[in-house]
Amino acid sequence: MPDKPAYRYRFVPVEPRHLNMISEWLAEPHVATWWDGNPEEEMALIAHHMGSVSVEPFIIMLGDEAIGYLQTYDPHLEDDHPYQDQPTGTLGLDQFIGESYLIGQGHGPRLLDEFVSLLFEEGVPRVIVDPDPANTQAIKAYEKAGFVAFDTRTSIYGPTLMMARDNPDLASEQSPEEGQETRLQ
């Protein structure tokens, strides 16, 4: 059986030189379908996030090639964020692979697993994602990366399937959905 190819992902902070590339990705049909909003407004938000305390934007690198965008956010640092019911320290994650020829090759679950593992090493107790329930491809990728659905909601972002992956080094024996608190509250 042949060996699986090795993939090396890196996550570099977004810089002004990346904005045109991100804008082009946002216009790609496979991204535009799910990344809600006006592209100009999205770009203004991403540019603002470069100096934000609550959101950290990254370029996803595969070797030396930029392949996508990823951002983390702390719902507890944003006024009236609809996910403030999550345990303190939870980070939300939004991402897309911008290069269409890389879709369906398993990069999503692999890069998500790698990035979330880095967050767990930093002590993050939980990472959440909120795909549109109709985005079955993204949901499958999140499941392969260890995320588990725990709720459905409708918020200012539209309908969402709430999914979480808990840090195994910090999780209690029962998850918060089962009525138990995590150790980091």
Side-chain angles (χ1 to χ4, degrees):
M1 179 193 255
D3 291 333
K4 286 186 175 179
Y7 296 99
R8 177 160 165 68
Y9 301 102
R10 291 182 299 123
F11 309 94
V12 298
V14 169
E15 298 176 6
R17 65 186 174 95
H18 297 128
L19 295 178
N20 285 337
M21 177 178 58
I22 296 169
S23 180
E24 290 173 8
W25 287 337
L26 285 169
E28 290 287 328
H30 72 279
V31 176
T33 299
W34 303 111
W35 199 268
D36 294 332
N38 176 314
E40 291 82 25
E41 290 175 10
E42 291 295 328
M43 287 310 303
L45 284 172
I46 291 170
H48 172 74
H49 293 330
M50 289 189 295
S52 172
V53 174
S54 63
V55 180
E56 281 192 86
F58 297 93
I59 295 296
I60 303 165
M61 304 290 295
L62 175 58
D64 293 327
E65 180 184 4
I67 65 165
Y69 175 78
L70 182 148
Q71 66 185 23
T72 61
Y73 61 90
D74 185 335
H76 297 96
L77 294 179
E78 296 182 27
D79 292 338
D80 301 322
H81 195 286
Y83 305 153
Q84 288 184 352
D85 61 334
Q86 295 302 295
T88 301
T90 294
L91 290 181
L93 182 112
D94 300 306
Q95 61 86 32
F96 60 79
I97 295 174
E99 299 297 334
S100 61
Y101 71 92
L102 293 173
I103 300 297
Q105 297 184 20
H107 291 290
R110 286 191 295 267
L111 71 87
L112 286 163
D113 182 58
E114 190 166 328
F115 189 80
V116 170
S117 294
L118 292 170
L119 293 176
F120 287 168
E121 287 174 14
E122 294 177 3
V124 172
R126 172 178 258 204
V127 178
I128 58 171
V129 293
D130 59 351
D132 185 304
N135 191 347
T136 57
Q137 188 172 7
I139 293 167
K140 287 178 187 175
Y142 290 130
E143 288 172 340
K144 287 180 183 177
F147 286 84
V148 176
F150 69 90
D151 196 7
T152 55
R153 299 183 182 184
T154 300
S155 72
I156 59 171
Y157 308 112
T160 63
L161 175 66
M162 298 297 299
M163 302 178 79
R165 181 168 158 189
D166 293 320
N167 188 332
D169 295 332
L170 301 177
S172 63
E173 289 186 21
Q174 291 185 324
S175 69
E177 297 79 50
E178 295 169 321
Q180 297 293 317
E181 294 182 25
T182 62
R183 294 188 321 199
L184 295 179
Q185 291 249 350

